[in-house]
């Protein structure tokens, strides 16, 4: 299990965009996020955190991933752990829009969000591969050209 630690602020400073790296199909990757409000610890009294991600889905398509139950608070701190599920890691590539959403337990309309971060997933050797037509003549021509 890989745990990646990042710090995000709801004031959304973008001097440095955090990046979480993993491999396609990893379902044990944990993002341990510290949430700040203008540099100070975010007050989560009566609030909880959700994860949002727009990930590439092959063939120039994207899919929204929203997680609530997979985001768990460490005691009563501003630190949360989010375990990425299979749906979030099913395809390799770079997800450029990932963030956490602060929600209120009593006010359904309340929303606050962190700055964005990226999730980069390398291709897995065990992933499903779609192979097109292949001709061994290409290898022969390359060997002859060399």
């Amino acid at each position: 299990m890989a745990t990646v630690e990042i710090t995000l602020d709801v004031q959304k400073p973008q001097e440095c965009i955090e990046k979480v790296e993993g491999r396609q199909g990893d379902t044990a990757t944990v993002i341990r996020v510290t949430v700040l409000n203008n540099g100070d610890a975010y007050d989560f009294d009566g609030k909880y955190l959700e994860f949002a991600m727009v990930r590439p889905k092959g063939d120039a398509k994207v899919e929204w991933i929203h997680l609530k139950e997979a985001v768990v608070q460490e005691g009563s701190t501003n630190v949360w752990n989010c375990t990425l599920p299979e749906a979030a890691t099913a395809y390799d590539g770079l997800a450029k829009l990932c963030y956490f959403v602060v929600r209120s337990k009593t006010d359904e309309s309340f929303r606050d969000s962190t700055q964005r971060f990226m999730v980069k997933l390398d291709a897995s050797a065990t992933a499903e591969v779609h192979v097109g037509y292949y001709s061994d003549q290409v290898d022969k021509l390359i060997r002859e050209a060399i």
Side-chain angles (χ1 to χ4, degrees), residues 22-93:
R23 183 156 323 276
Q24 175 185 4
D26 286 351
T27 57
T29 300
V30 175
I31 300 172
R32 185 174 188 261
V33 61
T34 302
V35 182
L36 304 176
N37 184 359
N38 203 23
D40 297 323
Y42 194 96
D43 180 12
F44 279 97
D45 187 35
K47 299 178 182 80
Y48 63 94
L49 201 64
E50 292 181 347
F51 172 75
M53 170 186 197
V54 179
R55 73 160 172 85
K57 190 181 176 180
D59 298 330
K61 297 178 184 175
V62 296
E63 179 179 4
W64 275 94
I65 306 290
H66 290 278
L67 304 174
K68 178 180 177 183
E69 290 77 23
V71 186
V72 180
Q73 188 174 18
E74 288 186 8
S76 58
T77 67
N78 63 322
V79 179
W80 295 73
N81 292 295
C82 175
T83 303
L84 294 180
E86 185 177 346
T89 64
Y91 294 88
D92 65 326

Side-chain angles (χ1 to χ4, degrees), residues 71-143:
V71 186
V72 180
Q73 188 174 18
E74 288 186 8
S76 58
T77 67
N78 63 322
V79 179
W80 295 73
N81 292 295
C82 175
T83 303
L84 294 180
E86 185 177 346
T89 64
Y91 294 88
D92 65 326
L94 181 65
K96 297 179 184 177
L97 182 58
C98 306
Y99 57 95
F100 286 92
V101 180
V102 180
R103 302 287 306 269
S104 171
K105 294 177 183 176
T106 58
D107 181 2
E108 183 62 30
S109 66
F110 178 84
R111 303 274 194 295
D112 202 355
S113 63
T114 66
Q115 69 206 76
R116 73 181 178 96
F117 64 98
M118 297 183 289
V119 173
K120 181 181 181 289
L121 299 171
D122 293 330
S124 172
T126 60
E128 180 180 325
V129 177
H130 301 283
V131 179
Y133 296 106
Y134 176 76
S135 170
D136 61 347
Q137 293 301 312
V138 173
D139 284 343
K140 181 180 176 187
L141 288 171
I142 291 173
R143 281 193 304 273

